[in-house]
Amino acid sequence: MESPTQPPPEPAKSLFDRIYDLFSSLRLAIFLLIALAVASIIGTLLPQGKDLAFYGEHFPRLLSLIRVLDLGDMYHSWWFLALMGLFALNLVTCTIRRLPVTLRLYRRDSLALDPDRLARMSLRHSWVLHGNPGGERAAACFRERAGRTRTAEIGGGTLHLVEHGRWTYWALYGLHASILVIFLGALVGWIWGFHGDLLLMEGDTADSITNRRGGAPIPLGFQVRCDDFDVSFYETGAPKEYRSDLTVIDGGREVLHRSVVVNRPLTYKGITFYQANYQAAPEAAVRIEAADGATKTLVVPAYQTVTWPEKGISLRLIQYMPNVHGGAAVRLLWADRDGPLQGPWLIKGRPTPLTSGDKEFSLSLIDLRQRFMTGLSVKKDPGVWIVWLGCTGLILGFVVVFWVGHRRLWLWVGPRDGKTVAVLAGQTNKNKTAFEDDFHRIVKAMDRCLEATP
């Protein structure tokens, strides 16, 4: 007894074919989409752009994971960029794999159709054309209701075709290209953009910001001055609105004035300043009396060093207390060229003696007022317009992919069983309900047209 013939084993795939199959698989696409979605959720829930001290304070158990995976700047982390790169590669490979099928569908000649196939289509209708053997009137009625036609002589009769939306086979490629354009925009922003912070006291000017990635200064190429800062409060004491009046100085000229509030930023040369926060900062007026009779009053803002050059003295305000023994007090960092660094406390209204080397001074806090320091988030993203372009293409692509289809209507007019018949049939690959309604309207219109034919 002979054993049944076994099919020959399939040849083993090469390494290239296995890699090609992997990157063109739908499973990989779904896995990468889920991974990117999960990562995006984490990036939304976890505050971004903070320093490790912030995460150590608020997420102590996750600090090691945040540091290793760079979750504080997740969208710029190596693994997130790798996921985007893999998804882009998967998208390109799938596109290449599908291209031959799309080309075949696009090049298909809808007029090269056996008339008998029309009779097997689900959407069809036929007429017996009494007294109209040529069928010219039926063809005219079809053109009048359906639109411009192309014709071919086939099956002993004439096949008329109305076709719309053949180009929609390429919509999926437009969709894929839009996603790649979005990735390109994100990459451009990552390479040539930056995101930093700027703390600016009222009246101060800055020409650089602090990069959130690493803390290095980033020169702006122009200057920004905070002319004024104002904050209003609700009755509960919570801030209601805070506003910074900024002036941009470029090449020594004031080129732009703008009030910046939350959700109404200032943009100059592609760099956008967002109102992010503010800080209250004291400013102390300190009078220094030297033993030789010299007197100087210095205004010392917070976070700044003020000098008395003639005496080689510098002061820096390092601490503020609103009430010490019944009066406001500040602590200064005192330095001069003759003595060591000192940190005297000054209470308003009470002179404080200070000895530095062989010199004696008397320090008095004569005034103390509160100033505001505006906190600006500064961002430059040259890829944002590329991302918008990709998003627009993505929306249009989805509209076409899901709602715009390839619609074909045929009318064949020719002899069958000694009579002249007209067969109407139609097909579409999307939105079939609407197409069926259109088909039945054309049938009714042709009924009326043919009945009206003398």
Side-chain angles (χ1 to χ4, degrees):
M1 181 177 177
E2 295 183 358
S3 60
T5 303
Q6 298 293 327
E10 295 184 359
K13 291 185 176 180
S14 65
L15 178 61
F16 175 81
D17 289 337
R18 289 200 295 271
I19 294 175
Y20 183 72
D21 289 344
L22 172 65
F23 280 101
S24 61
S25 70
L26 184 60
R27 289 182 180 178
L28 179 63
I30 293 174
F31 168 77
L32 292 172
L33 278 174
I34 293 175
L36 286 170
V38 171
S40 299
I41 292 173
I42 294 174
T44 303
L45 297 178
L46 187 70
Q48 298 289 293
K50 305 294 184 181
D51 54 32
L52 285 177
F54 171 86
Y55 298 111
E57 179 182 355
H58 294 84
F59 309 97
R61 294 183 179 179
L62 300 175
L63 183 59
S64 298
L65 188 64
I66 292 172
R67 182 170 50 231
V68 170
L69 295 181
D70 199 10
L71 295 179
D73 191 18
M74 196 194 68
Y75 298 110
H76 295 98
S77 62
W78 65 268
W79 59 269
F80 189 81
L81 295 174
L83 282 177
M84 290 179 61
L86 283 175
F87 186 68
L89 183 60
N90 174 249
L91 209 57
V92 171
T93 311
C94 289
T95 301
I96 294 173
R97 186 161 204 158
R98 184 181 170 81
L99 188 59
V101 177
T102 304
L103 278 173
R104 188 167 62 250
L105 290 172
Y106 182 76
R107 291 172 176 171
R108 180 178 54 183
D109 184 4
S110 298
L111 277 173
L113 184 71
D114 186 346
D116 291 338
R117 278 195 59 193
L118 300 182
R120 296 195 297 270
M121 291 184 182
S122 58
L123 276 180
R124 63 184 186 278
H125 192 85
S126 60
W127 295 267
V128 177
L129 303 177
H130 302 289
N132 188 14
E136 292 84 359
R137 183 59 186 167
C141 292
F142 180 61
R143 285 194 298 271
E144 184 179 342
R145 268 64 185 178
R148 190 170 61 179
T149 63
R150 294 190 291 127
T151 62
E153 300 299 324
I154 190 168
T158 303
L159 183 63
H160 305 264
L161 170 68
V162 175
E163 185 177 29
H164 298 290
R166 179 195 289 261
W167 58 273
T168 57
Y169 288 113
W170 300 105
L172 188 63
Y173 296 87
L175 202 64
H176 289 182
S178 299
I179 295 174
L180 294 177
V181 169
I182 292 173
F183 285 177
L184 176 64
L187 190 63
V188 168
W190 181 72
I191 295 175
W192 287 287
F194 57 75
H195 196 184
D197 297 297
L198 176 61
L199 283 173
L200 203 56
M201 189 75 77
E202 290 174 287
D204 287 352
T205 302
D207 58 4
S208 64
I209 64 169
T210 303
N211 194 344
R212 287 191 179 183
R213 295 159 60 187
I218 302 174
L220 295 171
F222 54 86
Q223 293 179 309
V224 178
R225 185 181 67 219
C226 178
D227 296 323
D228 190 24
F229 179 83
D230 184 62
V231 57
S232 58
F233 297 90
Y234 292 103
E235 293 181 355
T236 59
K240 181 179 181 181
E241 180 186 82
Y242 33 101
R243 186 198 70 246
S244 301
D245 294 336
L246 302 181
T247 296
V248 176
I249 305 169
D250 194 355
R253 295 186 305 109
E254 296 182 358
V255 295
L256 182 62
H257 300 273
R258 180 73 55 81
S259 293
V260 177
V261 297
V262 176
N263 297 327
R264 198 171 70 195
L266 176 152
T267 299
Y268 183 72
K269 287 189 173 178
I271 301 175
T272 303
F273 297 80
Y274 299 90
Q275 184 68 66
N277 50 48
Y278 70 94
Q279 292 183 17
E283 183 181 82
V286 178
R287 185 173 63 234
I288 307 173
E289 297 176 12
D292 60 3
T295 303
K296 183 75 172 181
T297 299
L298 298 176
V299 177
V300 188
Y303 312 112
Q304 294 186 28
T305 299
V306 178
T307 62
W308 185 2
E310 292 81 3
K311 295 292 184 181
I313 295 171
S314 65
L315 294 179
R316 188 175 180 85
L317 198 160
I318 58 176
Q319 196 169 356
Y320 159 72
M321 298 288 286
N323 191 344
V324 176
H325 301 303
V330 296
R331 190 182 186 192
L332 302 176
L333 183 64
W334 168 283
D336 65 31
R337 56 192 171 217
D338 298 321
L341 286 174
Q342 299 187 59
W345 276 97
L346 305 184
I347 301 176
K348 190 174 182 181
R350 300 182 188 180
T352 300
L354 182 143
T355 301
S356 178
D358 58 351
K359 299 177 182 177
E360 294 183 350
F361 300 90
S362 176
L363 309 181
S364 300
L365 175 62
I366 59 176
D367 192 20
L368 186 64
R369 69 189 183 98
Q370 181 171 270
R371 296 178 64 193
F372 286 103
M373 179 181 289
T374 182
L376 302 170
S377 174
V378 185
K379 189 173 184 180
K380 180 182 180 181
D381 188 353
V384 66
W385 290 108
I386 302 176
V387 172
W388 277 111
L389 177 65
C391 290
T392 303
L394 195 66
I395 294 171
L396 294 176
F398 273 120
V399 170
V400 174
V401 165
F402 287 106
W403 284 287
V404 183
H406 183 202
R407 297 160 63 108
R408 292 175 294 174
L409 280 170
W410 295 273
L411 180 72
W412 183 78
V413 180
R416 280 289 185 272
D417 302 327
K419 302 176 183 176
T420 299
V421 298
V423 180
L424 176 69
Q427 275 187 345
T428 186
N429 56 350
K430 296 168 195 168
N431 201 7
K432 295 185 178 180
T433 302
F435 182 72
E436 288 177 8
D437 293 340
D438 292 341
F439 182 85
H440 293 308
R441 276 195 291 271
I442 291 174
V443 169
K444 291 179 180 178
M446 288 193 63
D447 282 338
R448 292 192 297 270
C449 180
L450 292 174
E451 287 174 359
T453 302

